[in-house]
Amino acid sequence: MNIPNHVAIILDGNGRWAKAKGMPRNYGHVQGAKTVEQICEDAWNLGIHYLTVYAFSTENWNRPKDEVSALMTLLRNYMKSCLKRATQNNMCVRVIGDKTGLDDDIRKRIAELEEATKDNTGLHFQIADEIRRAVTNLAEQVQAGTLQPEEITEEKISAALDTAGIPEPDLLIRTCNELRISNFLLWQLAYTEFYFTPVAWPDFSKAELEKAIEAYNHRDRRYGLVKEE
C-alpha cells in the first residue's frame, strides 16, 4: 500500500461526541487530546513522516469563555505530556500559526517543546493554523522596497508560510462528517486528496486511519479522479 508522506487532519466532533454520551464538551476535548497522542504513534508506525493537525482555529475564540478557558488548560497540560511523548518517540514538534492570543506561559511551553524536539528524527508533528501573516510579510517586503510585486511567485508565497520546509500534505482527513476545510492550510491543500469520515475525533483510531489511507490509494494523483479498476 502506498503510504502518504504527509497527512493533515482536522479534528472535529469532540463536543458532539461528549454530548452524545451525556458528558460536558470539555470531556470530549480531553479524550480528543488522548486520540492525538495515539494517532501520532500509529502514523509513524504506518510509515507517515509528517502529521499536521488543526486543533484550534481563530473562530474558536468565539466559543463560550468557560470552554475556551478549559481548552487553554488542556493545552497547558498537553504541552507537558507532548514533551514526554516526543522525547520517548523521537518526534519533532512544531506549533505553527498565530500564537499571540495565547497566554505567556503557554507560549513559553511551546517554545521549550519546539527547542527540545527540533533535532528529533522521527515523526514531524505540526499543530497548525495560518496564511494571513504570510501575505502581510510579503506586503511589508514590497512596501520596504526589498521585493517587487512581479517577484511574488508561488515559491515565495510557500516560503513565507509557517510550513516552509515541510512538504505539502498528500492526504487531508476531516472527522465527524464535516465537508469543508475551515481556513486550514488553504494554500498547501491545493493538490491534496480529501477524505471525510463520520467518525468523531475521539473515536478515530489506527483502523480509521488505515481506511483513509486505503481510500487515498484509490485516488489517481495525476488526474484527481478515482482510479479505474
Side-chain angles (χ1 to χ4, degrees), residues 5-171:
N5 184 46
H6 184 177
V7 173
I9 309 178
I10 300 176
L11 321 178
D12 212 346
N14 291 336
R16 279 168 282 177
W17 178 87
K19 183 179 179 181
K21 295 181 177 296
M23 301 294 287
R25 289 177 60 86
N26 295 337
Y27 175 74
H29 295 311
V30 171
Q31 297 305 311
K34 293 179 180 178
T35 300
V36 170
E37 294 181 349
Q38 184 58 52
I39 289 299
C40 282
E41 186 174 332
D42 294 335
W44 179 250
N45 289 335
L46 286 169
I48 295 167
H49 293 100
Y50 294 84
L51 179 67
T52 301
V53 300
Y54 195 32
F56 193 85
S57 71
T58 52
E59 290 81 7
N60 289 153
W61 291 112
N62 298 322
R63 292 185 178 188
K65 288 185 178 180
D66 60 337
E67 184 175 354
V68 173
S69 178
L71 283 169
M72 293 303 101
T73 298
L74 178 60
L75 181 57
R76 286 184 175 91
N77 295 332
Y78 183 73
M79 288 298 106
K80 293 180 182 177
S81 62
C82 189
L83 177 56
K84 182 178 179 180
R85 183 173 287 263
T87 301
Q88 291 174 341
N89 296 336
N90 195 29
M91 288 197 314
C92 176
V93 184
R94 289 177 59 187
V95 180
I96 57 180
D98 186 0
K99 298 184 278 288
T100 56
L102 301 175
D103 290 341
D104 290 344
D105 66 305
I106 296 178
R107 293 202 300 270
K108 180 180 178 182
R109 290 183 185 182
I110 289 172
E112 291 171 348
L113 173 63
E114 292 178 332
E115 178 64 25
T117 66
K118 66 180 182 180
D119 295 325
N120 288 350
T121 58
L123 178 73
H124 289 255
F125 177 49
Q126 293 76 228
I127 304 171
D129 81 90
E130 40 99 73
I131 201 171
R132 182 186 61 81
R133 285 182 318 289
V135 176
T136 301
N137 177 266
L138 292 172
E140 289 173 348
Q141 291 182 52
V142 170
Q143 188 176 41
T146 59
L147 179 69
Q148 297 302 312
E150 61 272 17
E151 295 174 339
I152 299 176
T153 62
E154 291 186 6
E155 290 75 18
K156 285 192 179 296
I157 294 173
S158 295
L161 294 170
D162 294 336
T163 52
I166 299 172
E168 294 177 352
D170 303 292
L171 171 65

